[in-house]
Amino acid sequence: MVLNVAASVAVWLVVWYLASHLGEMVRARDEELASTNERLRAAREERAQHMLRTTHELKAPFAAIHANAQLLLRGDCGRLTEDAREVVRRIADRCHRLTAEIQEMLQLANLSSPTERPHQWEDVRLDEVIKAAAARVGQTARERNVSLALELEPVTVFGVEEHMTMMFVNLLANAVLYSEPGGRVEVCCAARQDGGPVASVRDEGIGIEPQKVPRIFEPYYRTDEAARFNKNSTGLGLAIVRQVAEMHRIRVQVETAPAAGTKFTLRSWPESKDASTGAHG
Amino acid sequence: MAFVLVVDDDEDFARAAARVLRGEGHEVGIVLETDNALQVMKDRRPDLVVLDVMFPEDTSAGFTLARKMRHCTEQLKDVPILMLTAINTRFPLGFGKRDIDDNWLPVSDFLEKPVDLDALCSKVSEMLAQAGSSS
């Protein structure tokens, strides 16, 4: 009997010791994790600030070169010969392209970085986002004689509007830029009752060889065919699309074939908070 | 004709902007630092300020100057401010109209660098006309 009591006490002591010790270990581990998280957050913030500064330092000189090239082109400094105008125009164009590239690098780098204003998650009208993106690439489409056909149902999803707009601007710009003159780009969004909202962008352009598809979302990757077809491409557009899709957990499917065009289908959209897939007001 | 003040640390850009605005018939002053910009404006009130965001010692000096103009000086609180910037420090994906508010970004309008000089001229004219009609 005495032995039993002693054994029970011993067992309880061991359990108590282990429990209290485990508690301490967990607490120590929690503190260590919190400290590591804080260091990571600070490092990310520092990286974002550094990126911001670097981008400004890169963009600002191009802005100055571009402004001065425009002065020459406008004739503010006297009349130029046609040859000289052509050279200055090339300088101005190159400045503009480099600035766009820097901007895309910045967008990509900062999509998931901390900012002073947290990303604003809210109900977003997908059809309105697509309309806005189409308006932004409309001029390029007209210049390239590519028609944009929109078939948009009112669909509300949950996400960051600026990011979604950026994603569709990149998808639509790609579709337009890799279409032959006279081509057609179809953009749809719909609220499917079974599988949730779906959006797609389809072109009849140069397409992609199947073995190259797995790499098209890598930053700076361009197929040889794409680089030949569009010399101004930065290779960052689809990397931005992937980043936004991952942040929103959207599934992107690619169907493509050389010379037959490409279709991007986006599924598994975050649903609106009120679970309505219809229009809001 | 109006008096336009360009506040930008990039002298090459500021001179190009000034040149094109002078060509439109405006009188243009250039200030390369924000430290003395407020005093320059108090000495002679500009009709419009073209203001950069990032300066060498302070990445958001342009925002600070805009807030000082709006909130600390009766003389300058209504001067239209056209902000020119290469980046947006708060939300680095580009500016949108929603960035403009009285406390965070109290400017009248903005243009992103690299600026199309024709767009700069028409924006300045538009803002001056608006200021003229509202005063």
Side-chain angles (χ1 to χ4, degrees):
Chain A
M1 175 70 180
V2 175
L3 273 177
N4 278 346
V5 171
S8 297
V9 169
V11 167
W12 277 110
L13 278 173
V14 168
V15 169
W16 173 81
Y17 173 78
L18 285 174
S20 61
H21 200 64
L22 270 174
E24 262 175 45
M25 282 170 67
V26 169
R27 264 198 303 280
R29 192 62 188 267
D30 281 350
E31 280 170 16
E32 199 182 316
L33 272 174
S35 155
T36 306
N37 280 340
E38 177 55 28
R39 282 203 303 276
L40 276 172
R41 193 199 59 76
R44 276 206 310 269
E45 200 161 326
E46 194 178 324
R47 179 181 145 271
Q49 284 301 317
H50 181 69
M51 176 62 80
L52 203 62
R53 188 86 218 194
T54 306
T55 306
H56 178 266
E57 296 308 316
L58 286 170
K59 266 184 103 173
F62 286 120
I65 297 168
H66 190 250
N68 282 285
Q70 283 182 83
L71 281 184
L72 291 171
L73 284 173
R74 287 164 45 100
D76 289 275
C77 310
R79 192 176 165 77
L80 297 182
T81 64
E82 202 41 51
D83 282 352
R85 279 182 65 81
E86 180 55 29
V87 171
V88 177
R89 191 175 295 117
R90 282 184 192 191
I91 293 171
D93 285 353
R94 198 58 188 255
C95 272
H96 212 74
R97 284 209 298 275
L98 276 167
T99 309
E101 188 168 338
I102 294 164
Q103 182 68 19
E104 286 184 0
M105 285 163 64
L106 174 77
Q107 287 179 344
L108 186 59
N110 284 298
L111 265 170
S112 55
S113 298
T115 60
E116 284 183 44
R117 186 183 74 185
H119 300 317
Q120 199 171 341
W121 286 76
E122 58 193 350
D123 280 356
V124 177
R125 279 283 297 272
L126 197 52
D127 49 316
E128 298 293 339
V129 162
I130 294 173
K131 267 187 218 159
R136 284 183 42 188
V137 301
Q139 178 65 26
T140 311
R142 283 188 291 279
E143 283 167 10
R144 296 182 58 82
N145 190 26
V146 173
S147 64
L148 280 174
L150 309 183
E151 196 177 313
L152 308 173
E153 286 180 13
V155 178
T156 304
V157 294
F158 191 63
V160 182
E161 186 174 345
E162 286 100 336
H163 292 177
M164 289 191 180
T165 306
M166 199 190 310
M167 179 167 71
F168 277 102
V169 166
N170 278 295
L171 283 171
L172 290 173
N174 266 6
V176 167
L177 290 171
Y178 293 105
S179 286
E180 302 284 355
R184 175 183 162 92
V185 172
E186 288 174 8
V187 193
C188 307
C189 76
R192 299 271 156 73
Q193 291 307 311
D194 48 350
V198 178
S200 65
V201 178
R202 191 176 81 83
D203 66 63
E204 301 165 337
I206 63 169
I208 306 161
E209 290 179 22
Q211 72 274 19
K212 297 181 180 175
V213 172
R215 295 195 61 196
I216 59 173
F217 292 100
E218 290 176 16
Y220 302 104
Y221 177 78
R222 294 186 301 161
T223 66
D224 289 340
E225 299 77 28
R228 271 199 302 275
F229 193 80
N230 171 23
K231 291 186 171 57
N232 293 339
S233 155
T234 61
L236 290 172
L238 287 179
I240 290 172
V241 169
R242 178 176 69 177
Q243 186 71 36
V244 175
E246 282 179 357
M247 286 172 67
H248 289 80
R249 300 188 178 178
I250 297 163
R251 205 152 41 83
V252 183
Q253 181 190 3
V254 187
E255 296 162 82
T256 183
T262 304
K263 181 179 182 186
F264 289 88
T265 306
L266 291 79
R267 292 193 176 86
S268 304
W269 291 84
E271 298 267 0
S272 163
K273 259 183 174 171
D274 64 3
S276 159
T277 51
H280 281 203
Chain B
M1 189 185 81
F3 174 48
V4 178
L5 193 68
V6 177
V7 185
D8 195 318
D9 64 307
D10 190 321
E11 191 173 357
D12 291 332
F13 176 81
R15 286 165 70 96
R19 184 168 190 142
V20 79
L21 289 170
R22 282 189 195 113
E24 294 288 302
H26 302 302
E27 190 180 344
V28 185
I30 295 176
V31 180
L32 300 174
E33 297 157 0
T34 50
D35 284 351
N36 57 340
L38 213 55
Q39 191 54 51
V40 170
M41 287 188 243
K42 282 177 180 168
D43 291 344
R44 184 180 175 193
R45 183 186 184 277
D47 298 303
L48 184 143
V49 173
V50 176
L51 178 61
D52 189 24
V53 173
M54 285 180 91
F55 285 78
E57 287 189 8
D58 182 352
T59 54
S60 54
F63 290 0
T64 310
L65 179 61
R67 287 181 210 129
K68 277 184 186 161
M69 287 172 64
R70 287 286 183 265
H71 302 304
C72 306
T73 56
E74 190 60 30
Q75 183 195 359
L76 303 172
K77 72 182 173 70
D78 296 323
V79 174
I81 302 172
L82 174 59
M83 187 154 266
L84 303 184
T85 182
I87 46 171
N88 178 350
T89 53
R90 183 170 66 160
F91 183 64
L93 300 171
F95 275 114
K97 287 278 182 192
R98 61 200 296 171
D99 284 302
I100 297 177
D101 71 55
D102 199 40
N103 290 314
W104 164 247
L105 185 53
V107 302
S108 316
D109 213 334
F110 58 84
L111 281 175
E112 195 174 346
K113 288 182 178 178
V115 176
D116 183 286
L117 293 181
D118 291 331
L120 173 68
C121 290
S122 52
K123 185 69 82 179
V124 165
S125 301
E126 184 188 314
M127 288 170 68
L128 285 170
Q130 220 164 34
S133 64
S134 63
S135 63

